[in-house]
Amino acid sequence: MTGFDSFAMVDWSSGNDTGPRPRKDAIWACVVRKGEAEEPMYLRNRGIAELWLRNLIETEIAASRRLFLGFDFPFGYPKGFARALTGSDDPLKLWDWFERRTEDSPKANNRFDLAGEINRCFGGKGPFWFNGLQRDIEGLPKNKSDYQNPFPERRAVELMPEAKGSFSCWQMGGAGAVGGQVMMGLPVLARLRRAFTGQISVWPFEALDTPVAFVEIWPSLTLGSAPDGRIKDAWQVEQVALSVARMQVEELAQHLNVNAAEEGWILGVSQSKPNIAPPPLRNDCFALPAGVNWTPVDDALALLRERLTVVATPERVALSQAAGRILTEDVLANRSNPPQPNTAVDGYGFAGAAQEGAQVMPLYPGRAAAGMPFDGTVPDGHAVRVLTGAALPDGVDTVILEEDVTVQDNHIAFHGPLKQGANTRRAGEDVAEGDLVLPAGRRLTPADLALLSATGIAEIHVRKTLRVAVLSTGDELVEPGETAGPGQIFDANRPMLLSLIDRMGFQPVDLGRVPDDRAELRDRLNSASGQADVILTSGGASAGDEDHVSALLREAGAMQEWRIALKPGRPLALGLWNGTPVFGLPGNPVAAMVCTLIFARPALGLMAGEGWQEPRAFDLPAAFEKRKKPGRREYLRARVRDGRAEVFASEGSGRISGLSWAEGLVEIEDGARHIKPGDMVRFIPYGSFGL
């Protein structure tokens, strides 16, 4: 593939004509030639946009310029859909299929009716959803309450970490929907291909050896907010066109070198397979080595540390909004602290050391105070009044405390000796301009904010707060305040886990609870994968008839059950749902909390960008006796009294009161142990986990 001469980016819309005045949520396009961007074009409806595209293609071909033309909607659907409608896996035949069936005018189109017609071919409950019209459409649900999708929910590219935030092409309307864009965009592209037969190639389905290339790009995956005063869509098409135009031929070729012949791909999303979310979904991320049945705690932690990656995305925020956030890069001081030499006390300043014995100096008029520097130079042999924090006046390098001074007749008297520089602070003695203030990966504390502010930092690059969804499962659960029937219990896990997430510095997302209903759980997990970066479930994570979390993850081809050699909480289900990591915790509250602290806490910190955090532990004498067999690690609920570690009277995993009674955990190693009072044990306070 040779290079391109001109570049254009189009932001598409499935809506009606937006009127003559440029506005957001419309069709926008921008062309770049010779590295210079033209003014973004506002195209009020698809008919005008199609005519504009025809003219652009004709102009570039006539001028013998190779045109790179980007669009912001998917060029293909998830695997199997093209064959179901056309009898072929060729996505370009699907383009023609849509082109023959769409009806479009500036004020109306048939996209919702066509979606309903397609759904009726598959039972009338999917794959498309959301009816944006006032009338009912047979087969097209308004929401996902009775939704069933016979095809994958997302394309492989949309499961990649870089595509976090992309939307499913099955959603026909509502916030972020691209389903309507696809259905109303592909017919236009199909007509353009037919009008310029042999002149247009479509990436990644065809070799790019023609004068014009159609390429899928989603600006919103890489660009943030537009500058003040600019329409976001207009700014994004300009920035994307410029970015692609500035790529070297080799760099662009590398981005275009992907293999996605049926579903298509998003330019800029790497096709490498990181451990956190390999497409297609497989067990690779959490799979244990062959032959492993019981996983030691240390091995499980090492596997999580090795295979998980950062998923929280970066952003720039004001210092006032940065508490608890995690730095994405090192921060260097913009200003020294102190910025200039200053006085550490209230007193009197002069130059040089004071010899032993009585000293008398004339008092120079004026004073220096914090924020009100002395104007002038203090003559040699004179003193001047200075207050704490004041910049040292010219001619002053030493300060005597006012308590050690007698003032009379415009003179001061005191007893020496006093060494030169006493009671002063040097410029930059705390932090010098250009010094490393804080390293990348640090979670910012209130003290950090003081340091950053003092060194002139107003805005910083941090990671967005990791969103952690919490979901309880089980028919037996009821909410506190409801009436618990026979065999039912109050949901203790969800309030505990939501509070743990919040105290650890992550953003909790409450998904409520679902009964033992696989379809409802599937819908809730689908919702969670769009709202959160990580999902924590409790219950249903083992291998029984009602363990639906494990069953659904297994159906998705992305589930591993780690039988961890620990007490309490041996089974830990790990998997991916729509590319989002899932931690399936035991239903028992004691086991759920222990597994969250020991496994989920360091894993969440790594995904949040603060690195793998080992909990700090202390060796203390035991105030108890215990015999333990070899083979698994044990965690006992414990607290410290009189310098010794006490453990809860019962080790029963159903005793929730022990969690409240405790202040941390005593960790007993994997081997056999007979602990007697006074023996040293390892105590991990709850505070080590950020609680």
Side-chain angles (χ1 to χ4, degrees):
M1 182 197 74
T2 59
F4 292 91
D5 305 296
S6 52
F7 301 82
M9 180 66 207
V10 181
D11 186 297
W12 202 248
S13 172
S14 60
N16 294 335
D17 188 291
T18 49
R21 185 176 180 179
R23 51 165 286 180
K24 65 178 183 177
D25 299 325
I27 301 176
W28 285 90
C30 184
V31 178
V32 172
R33 295 186 183 94
K34 297 182 179 180
E36 296 294 329
E38 297 180 358
E39 186 70 20
M41 290 291 299
Y42 166 68
L43 306 167
R44 57 187 290 180
N45 60 54
R46 284 176 296 282
I48 292 174
E50 185 172 348
L51 180 60
W52 181 87
L53 288 165
R54 282 176 178 264
N55 291 336
L56 173 64
I57 294 170
E58 288 176 353
T59 298
E60 300 309 294
I61 291 176
S64 298
R65 290 191 293 260
R66 290 201 72 212
L67 172 62
F68 177 104
L69 188 48
F71 296 89
D72 73 331
F73 55 83
F75 285 2
Y77 283 83
K79 187 176 180 65
F81 183 65
R83 175 170 290 277
L85 288 191
T86 70
S88 170
D89 293 329
D90 184 355
L92 298 179
K93 289 186 178 180
L94 185 62
W95 289 24
D96 295 331
W97 190 94
F98 276 118
E99 195 273 331
R100 291 191 297 270
R101 289 165 175 79
T102 55
E103 300 171 6
D104 195 7
S105 70
K107 292 297 184 181
N109 63 68
N110 70 333
R111 69 182 189 273
F112 295 114
D113 292 288
L114 184 55
E117 179 184 331
I118 295 171
N119 281 3
R120 292 194 293 274
C121 297
F122 303 106
K125 296 184 178 181
F128 294 104
W129 68 278
F130 192 101
N131 175 7
L133 302 181
Q134 296 298 317
R135 58 182 171 84
D136 290 337
I137 297 177
E138 183 185 356
L140 182 63
K142 290 184 177 293
N143 54 50
K144 302 183 78 173
S145 59
D146 194 29
Y147 176 74
Q148 294 179 14
N149 192 345
F151 305 102
E153 185 67 18
R154 292 176 180 269
R155 301 181 296 163
V157 64
E158 291 153 5
L159 302 175
M160 300 298 288
E162 301 101 313
K164 192 77 172 177
S166 59
F167 289 84
S168 169
C169 58
W170 306 122
Q171 183 179 341
M172 293 300 297
V178 299
Q181 288 179 276
V182 181
M183 197 172 287
M184 303 313 297
L186 295 184
V188 173
L189 301 190
R191 284 192 291 273
L192 291 172
R193 288 185 72 243
R194 190 164 60 248
F196 297 93
T197 302
Q199 303 292 302
I200 297 173
S201 51
V202 181
W203 178 83
F205 309 135
E206 300 175 312
L208 300 185
D209 53 5
T210 57
V212 180
F214 286 175
V215 179
E216 177 186 340
I217 312 175
W218 289 15
S220 59
L221 294 183
T222 55
L223 295 175
S225 301
D228 291 341
R230 297 214 47 190
I231 295 175
K232 181 179 180 180
D233 294 341
W235 176 74
Q236 285 189 340
V237 293
E238 175 191 80
Q239 294 304 305
V240 170
L242 282 170
S243 296
V244 178
R246 289 166 181 167
M247 287 185 186
Q248 298 294 324
V249 172
E250 295 80 7
E251 181 184 3
L252 181 56
Q254 184 175 0
H255 282 296
L256 292 169
N257 183 24
V258 301
N259 180 18
E262 179 179 349
E263 295 185 329
W265 202 259
I266 303 171
L267 186 75
V269 176
S270 171
Q271 206 173 27
S272 61
K273 298 176 173 57
N275 288 329
I276 187 66
L281 290 178
R282 308 176 73 93
N283 287 336
D284 300 340
C285 179
F286 297 115
L288 297 175
V292 172
N293 293 316
W294 288 94
T295 308
V297 171
D298 288 339
D299 290 355
L301 291 171
L303 287 167
L304 288 173
R305 184 172 187 174
E306 172 190 346
R307 297 179 181 184
L308 292 172
T309 60
V310 178
V311 299
T313 56
E315 64 177 347
R316 187 176 179 88
V317 301
L319 191 61
S320 60
Q321 301 173 329
R325 304 293 287 276
I326 298 168
L327 291 172
T328 62
E329 57 186 39
D330 293 345
V331 179
L332 307 182
N334 285 341
R335 191 187 195 205
S336 296
N337 183 51
Q340 59 273 317
N342 66 81
T343 175
V345 298
D346 290 344
Y348 297 86
F350 49 88
Q355 301 300 316
E356 188 172 354
Q359 307 290 325
V360 177
M361 288 185 185
L363 192 59
Y364 197 72
R367 72 171 192 169
M372 300 179 64
F374 179 81
D375 185 15
T377 301
V378 178
D380 189 37
H382 288 65
V384 69
R385 176 67 165 154
V386 294
L387 301 180
T388 303
L392 293 181
D394 291 341
V396 171
D397 59 19
T398 305
V399 174
I400 178 97
L401 277 76
E402 65 175 291
E403 295 88 347
D404 296 334
V405 172
T406 300
V407 182
Q408 187 174 329
D409 297 332
N410 289 324
H411 284 72
I412 64 169
F414 61 91
H415 287 281
L418 189 68
K419 65 180 181 180
Q420 188 172 15
N423 300 313
T424 65
R425 306 185 185 103
R426 301 186 311 276
E429 71 173 29
D430 180 24
V431 178
E433 180 179 348
D435 280 357
L436 175 65
V437 179
L438 294 171
R442 182 177 178 89
R443 186 182 291 274
L444 294 173
T445 67
D448 293 337
L449 300 188
L451 176 59
L452 291 168
S453 182
T455 53
I457 308 298
E459 292 185 336
I460 51 175
H461 293 278
V462 296
R463 294 201 178 273
K464 292 183 179 180
T465 304
L466 190 77
R467 300 167 301 169
V468 183
V470 175
L471 175 65
S472 290
T473 68
D475 288 335
E476 74 278 14
L477 299 178
V478 295
E479 292 292 304
E482 296 180 353
T483 300
Q488 291 186 311
I489 59 174
F490 294 115
D491 184 1
N493 280 350
R494 204 168 86 254
M496 174 184 72
L497 294 173
L498 288 168
S499 179
L500 283 174
I501 296 306
D502 183 56
R503 293 283 294 274
M504 290 172 181
F506 309 116
Q507 179 183 337
V509 179
D510 187 358
L511 294 179
R513 56 185 174 84
V514 294
D516 290 319
D517 182 292
R518 198 162 297 184
E520 186 172 345
L521 178 59
R522 180 186 290 108
D523 288 343
R524 201 70 62 90
L525 289 174
N526 286 336
S527 175
S529 66
Q531 299 178 59
D533 304 300
V534 187
I535 303 170
L536 297 186
T537 68
S538 62
S542 190
D545 292 342
E546 298 299 332
D547 290 318
H548 298 294
V549 173
S550 299
L552 284 176
L553 290 174
R554 197 174 287 110
E555 285 178 14
M559 190 280 180
Q560 284 288 317
E561 183 183 30
W562 286 8
R563 300 171 66 200
I564 301 174
L566 87 159
K567 177 185 176 182
R570 286 176 291 177
L572 183 65
L574 299 162
L576 298 168
W577 188 265
N578 292 339
T580 302
V582 179
F583 283 75
L585 302 170
N588 182 288
V590 176
M593 181 165 176
V594 169
C595 285
T596 299
L597 297 181
I598 301 303
F599 299 106
R601 173 61 184 94
L604 294 174
L606 190 153
M607 290 185 282
E610 65 179 336
W612 187 270
Q613 303 293 312
E614 298 280 357
R616 296 179 181 176
F618 306 91
D619 289 334
L620 297 173
F624 62 93
E625 182 173 4
K626 176 180 172 59
R627 292 180 182 272
K628 174 188 169 296
K629 296 179 180 180
R632 63 181 179 180
R633 188 167 304 182
E634 295 191 17
Y635 292 92
L636 309 178
R637 286 151 282 176
R639 67 184 185 184
V640 177
R641 292 294 183 270
D642 299 324
R644 303 202 307 169
E646 299 178 352
V647 297
F648 191 58
S650 171
E651 294 182 19
S653 57
R655 300 285 295 273
I656 304 176
S657 61
L659 294 175
S660 177
W661 173 91
E663 297 167 346
L665 302 172
V666 160
E667 181 184 61
I668 304 179
E669 60 271 25
D670 301 346
R673 183 88 189 268
H674 180 194
I675 300 170
K676 299 178 181 178
D679 290 348
M680 301 302 287
V681 293
R682 189 171 189 255
F683 175 72
I684 312 174
Y686 284 155
S688 290
F689 301 101
L691 307 183

